Amino acid sequence: MAQFHVLAVDDSVIDRMLIERLLKTSSFHVTVVDSGSKALKFLGLVEDEVRNEKVSSIATEADQVVEVNLIITDYCMPGMTGYDLLRKIKESNSLKDIPVVIMSSENVPSRINRCLEEGAEEFFLKPVQQSDVNKLKPHLLKTKVKNVGGDQTNNIGRIENNKRCYIQN
């Protein structure tokens, strides 16, 4: 079976090394970058062209070269925050179905809720643990099924219910 490809985004060298090691331990193929703009470039979405109509054709070409099954990003980064990156991904027709997980060392409920409402699948508190990485598998499997063209209605309903429970707690 093909490895799942995770794009990890964090401006901290130590945190990048930690998340990369945890993901590789779980047999993921990992690409690490140190900023939101580099992540967008890797995904084929150039920051300055986000509002430009050429984006979908650029991203489509990139999708054929690089398939990313999940993006895990730090929330607090200079320049583009993880929240900004999440919004740009969810605004892109070609990237919006890629699950995004946000990480932060700060436990700020309003920030967590905002990210979940904007479409993040999970919000992990740093330091990220192996138990957190284990929570990624179901999100990856949904993208695989979606790509195959399976019926996602039941899964989507479950995700929405999980998010509501998470937000209310």
Side-chain angles (χ1 to χ4, degrees):
M1 186 176 173
Q3 273 189 317
F4 289 112
H5 185 185
V6 177
L7 175 61
V9 189
D10 202 315
D11 59 310
S12 157
V13 176
I14 292 166
D15 287 338
R16 272 200 315 275
M17 288 169 63
L18 173 66
I19 193 70
E20 182 178 18
R21 191 174 69 229
L22 286 170
L23 290 165
K24 284 185 173 176
T25 300
S26 295
S27 302
F28 292 117
H29 171 64
V30 186
T31 300
V32 289
V33 292
D34 62 7
S35 70
S37 51
K38 284 183 185 170
L40 289 178
K41 193 175 253 182
F42 179 79
L43 293 163
L45 195 63
V46 181
E47 201 178 336
D48 298 337
E49 296 170 325
V50 169
R51 300 272 174 230
N52 190 328
E53 288 183 26
K54 286 192 285 185
V55 168
S56 50
S57 63
I58 291 168
T60 305
E61 288 170 27
D63 284 350
Q64 290 166 3
V65 178
V66 176
E67 186 190 350
V68 172
N69 304 105
L70 184 132
I71 298 159
I72 185 163
T73 180
D74 184 26
Y75 181 90
C76 194
M77 297 184 290
M80 183 186 301
T81 66
Y83 178 74
D84 297 332
L85 177 61
L86 169 69
R87 290 195 58 188
K88 287 182 188 303
I89 288 165
K90 295 305 174 185
E91 287 168 5
S92 163
N93 286 335
S94 54
L95 303 176
K96 67 182 179 199
D97 290 331
I98 301 174
V100 178
V101 172
I102 309 279
M103 311 175 282
S104 178
S105 52
E106 298 169 31
N107 188 355
V108 182
S110 59
R111 178 183 292 177
I112 295 168
N113 291 342
R114 198 170 65 151
C115 290
L116 294 171
E117 284 165 8
E118 202 62 50
E121 301 291 339
E122 299 272 357
F123 194 105
F124 294 156
L125 287 174
K126 290 180 174 181
V128 174
Q129 308 285 325
Q130 190 62 51
S131 58
D132 294 321
V133 172
N134 295 343
K135 294 176 191 171
L136 300 177
K137 278 265 165 39
H139 302 300
L140 292 158
L141 294 172
K142 281 189 297 248
T143 57
K144 281 291 185 198
V145 173
K146 204 175 281 184
N147 292 344
V148 173
D151 177 37
Q152 287 297 297
T153 325
N154 292 339
N155 281 345
I156 290 168
R158 254 182 260 132
I159 295 167
E160 291 308 315
N161 289 338
N162 288 345
K163 282 186 187 169
R164 268 188 235 112
C165 293
Y166 195 89
I167 290 166
Q168 289 170 352
N169 290 343

